[in-house]
Amino acid sequence: MKLICSDMLPVGLENGQQSIIDCIHEQFEKADQVELAVGYISKASLIELNDMVERYSIQKICLNIGMYFIEGMPESSYRTALDINAEWNRKGIGEIRLVKSFKYHGKMYCFYKDDGIFSAIIGSANLGVIKLEASNRRQFETAVFIDSVAECSQAARLVHRLKQPICSENISEITGMTLIHEENTSLNNIENVEKIPMSEVSLYQEYLTEISFVLPLKVPKYAERHLDDGKHFTKSNLNVCYAAPRSARKARDWYETQLTVSKGITRAEGYPEKNKPFFVATDDGYWFKVHTTSDGNKQFSAVGNELIMGRWIKGRLATAGLVSPVNDTGGDTDRIGMITQEMLEAYGCNQLVLTKTTKKALDENGNELDVWLFSFESGDIDEEQ
């Protein structure tokens, strides 16, 4: 047995002492099977673990997570775990489980070769130790490394007991767990956008009128994302970023969207007048100015920044772990950043709802503007619209 810990000043490592992360990598390299039971994970550490499984040719893997079923799980981590669990299942190498019977706060890493355990790490380090982020970079961890087969076998038995159906369940079969919706940070520090308290959003909800419009979101199915006939993304209001670039030297920004509204909506009584700006308070607590433009009043966009709408909608999907922003849409030949119907279904929202309130607010020039409530919701899409 030996003590291992974080390599962090001012404590640091003693001569000959190994850091936890180096020890984990060393054991992964020797193993063909790994069993882990931890209290918490992070999205980044899940992705890193999946990379390590491939990098070290691990043949069997099981991750058991102990605290989230009772406390609730961050949505992006949950969806990332679902995807990795499905990948491991397809490859026939393992699974991700959640402890249900109680809060499991232990941290145990067991390493096997040819079906026999040869080492274990037990200590304070959750899975995040393998991929440090701002939240845990200055968090000092300690653990013991064990290579005694007798002692390792005790750890293996406990991890095995946690895998039993009476204690845990595969994450794909979990129901009734609270998902914690994380804040969409894509709009942070963006000019012309303000963050408002949810109490203010609730206030506007008390002043709603009957004037309301549903703006459908047009996106392709996953299987259609490679069809380049113009129908599936140049006319998809969330995926116009994949249309031909405006400049030969620069692809379109991934957050670019183009909300085109049908005549059946724009001609309806009460629809906002062309080029007459108004404020929207979003259902998740953002405030910005929008207007309607173009022929037939068909374009609906934020004032002053054409990426705001995309940052609001796509940013929420990215925060939920359903998609990752793409730096170069021109180079995204696999269309991994394309928004699909399956993503919207998983998120539970497929349309925007714009509802007028009786309230007004002054803009930066002292002009009195209408205030509308803007929501991302679920509903039946009228294909004719």
Side-chain angles (χ1 to χ4, degrees), residues 87-128:
E87 179 181 341
W88 290 352
N89 183 259
R90 285 194 304 271
K91 293 178 177 178
I93 64 172
E95 63 176 336
I96 296 177
R97 303 179 67 84
L98 296 186
V99 175
K100 295 179 61 178
S101 303
F102 45 76
K103 291 183 180 182
Y104 170 78
H105 199 246
K107 295 91 180 176
M108 307 179 72
Y109 301 72
C110 297
F111 302 94
Y112 298 76
K113 184 72 173 181
D114 298 329
D115 293 325
I117 188 166
F118 65 86
S119 67
I121 296 173
I122 304 173
S124 67
N126 281 299
L127 192 66

Side-chain angles (χ1 to χ4, degrees), residues 59-76:
Q59 298 173 20
K60 294 181 181 178
I61 178 73
C62 180
L63 169 64
N64 213 339
I65 311 170
M67 298 293 286
Y68 292 131
F69 183 79
I70 294 175
E71 289 188 351
M73 188 170 186
E75 186 174 16
S76 61

Side-chain angles (χ1 to χ4, degrees), residues 40-300:
Y40 298 100
I41 53 86
S42 65
K43 177 182 176 180
S45 65
L46 284 174
I47 295 171
E48 178 68 11
L49 176 62
N50 193 38
D51 289 343
M52 290 170 64
V53 167
E54 183 173 353
R55 186 186 320 152
Y56 295 115
S57 301
I58 301 300
Q59 298 173 20
K60 294 181 181 178
I61 178 73
C62 180
L63 169 64
N64 213 339
I65 311 170
M67 298 293 286
Y68 292 131
F69 183 79
I70 294 175
E71 289 188 351
M73 188 170 186
E75 186 174 16
S76 61
S77 296
Y78 169 73
R79 298 195 186 282
T80 302
L82 275 181
D83 290 343
I84 292 174
N85 177 73
E87 179 181 341
W88 290 352
N89 183 259
R90 285 194 304 271
K91 293 178 177 178
I93 64 172
E95 63 176 336
I96 296 177
R97 303 179 67 84
L98 296 186
V99 175
K100 295 179 61 178
S101 303
F102 45 76
K103 291 183 180 182
Y104 170 78
H105 199 246
K107 295 91 180 176
M108 307 179 72
Y109 301 72
C110 297
F111 302 94
Y112 298 76
K113 184 72 173 181
D114 298 329
D115 293 325
I117 188 166
F118 65 86
S119 67
I121 296 173
I122 304 173
S124 67
N126 281 299
L127 192 66
V129 75
I130 68 172
K131 190 67 174 179
L132 296 181
E133 300 178 273
S135 60
N136 67 341
R137 187 165 293 277
R138 292 295 298 171
Q139 184 168 300
F140 195 91
E141 307 288 359
T142 60
V144 291
F145 169 74
I146 303 169
D147 56 4
S148 161
V149 173
E151 293 174 343
C152 290
S153 296
Q154 293 183 52
R157 285 195 295 273
L158 176 55
V159 172
H160 180 74
R161 289 165 64 189
L162 291 172
K163 291 170 57 179
Q164 300 309 301
I166 195 172
C167 289
S168 64
E169 192 171 5
N170 185 281
I171 191 170
S172 65
E173 300 172 355
I174 291 289
T175 59
M177 180 177 67
T178 299
L179 292 184
I180 300 171
H181 300 288
E182 299 152 273
E183 181 182 352
N184 172 20
T185 59
S186 300
L187 286 169
N188 288 5
N189 302 314
I190 298 299
E191 189 176 2
N192 303 321
V193 178
E194 294 181 28
K195 190 79 174 75
I196 60 176
M198 290 306 296
S199 58
E200 190 170 335
V201 177
S202 299
L203 176 65
Y204 288 122
Q205 290 174 334
E206 296 179 7
Y207 292 92
L208 295 177
T209 69
E210 294 183 357
I211 301 174
S212 185
F213 303 94
V214 174
L215 311 182
L217 295 174
K218 305 172 185 177
V219 294
K221 294 180 179 179
Y222 178 80
E224 300 172 330
R225 69 195 190 285
H226 287 291
L227 298 181
D228 293 348
D229 60 1
K231 175 181 178 182
H232 293 86
F233 57 84
T234 59
K235 293 184 179 179
S236 167
N237 43 27
L238 293 188
N239 294 311
V240 70
C241 59
Y242 286 99
R246 294 189 178 91
S247 168
R249 293 177 297 175
K250 187 177 181 181
R252 296 185 184 225
D253 192 291
W254 183 75
Y255 285 108
E256 183 178 343
T257 60
Q258 190 175 84
L259 298 181
T260 303
V261 184
S262 70
K263 294 179 181 178
I265 297 175
T266 61
R267 293 176 177 176
E269 184 177 355
Y271 190 75
E273 297 179 32
K274 181 179 179 180
N275 294 323
K276 185 177 180 180
F278 55 96
F279 286 114
V280 291
T282 69
D283 58 346
D284 58 345
Y286 286 99
W287 174 274
F288 49 90
K289 191 188 298 184
V290 301
H291 59 175
T292 61
T293 62
S294 193
D295 295 339
N297 206 15
K298 66 181 180 180
Q299 299 298 333
F300 183 91

Side-chain angles (χ1 to χ4, degrees), residues 204 207 276 278-279 287 356-363 367-372:
Y204 288 122
Y207 292 92
K276 185 177 180 180
F278 55 96
F279 286 114
W287 174 274
K356 190 175 184 179
T357 76
T358 58
K359 306 296 286 184
K360 294 182 181 293
L362 299 178
D363 68 5
N367 299 314
E368 190 176 60
L369 307 183
D370 291 331
V371 177
W372 295 62

Side-chain angles (χ1 to χ4, degrees), residues 339-354:
I339 308 304
T340 65
Q341 290 182 22
E342 289 83 354
M343 289 180 190
L344 297 185
E345 289 170 3
Y347 189 69
C349 299
N350 60 359
Q351 64 185 15
L352 306 177
V353 179
L354 183 67

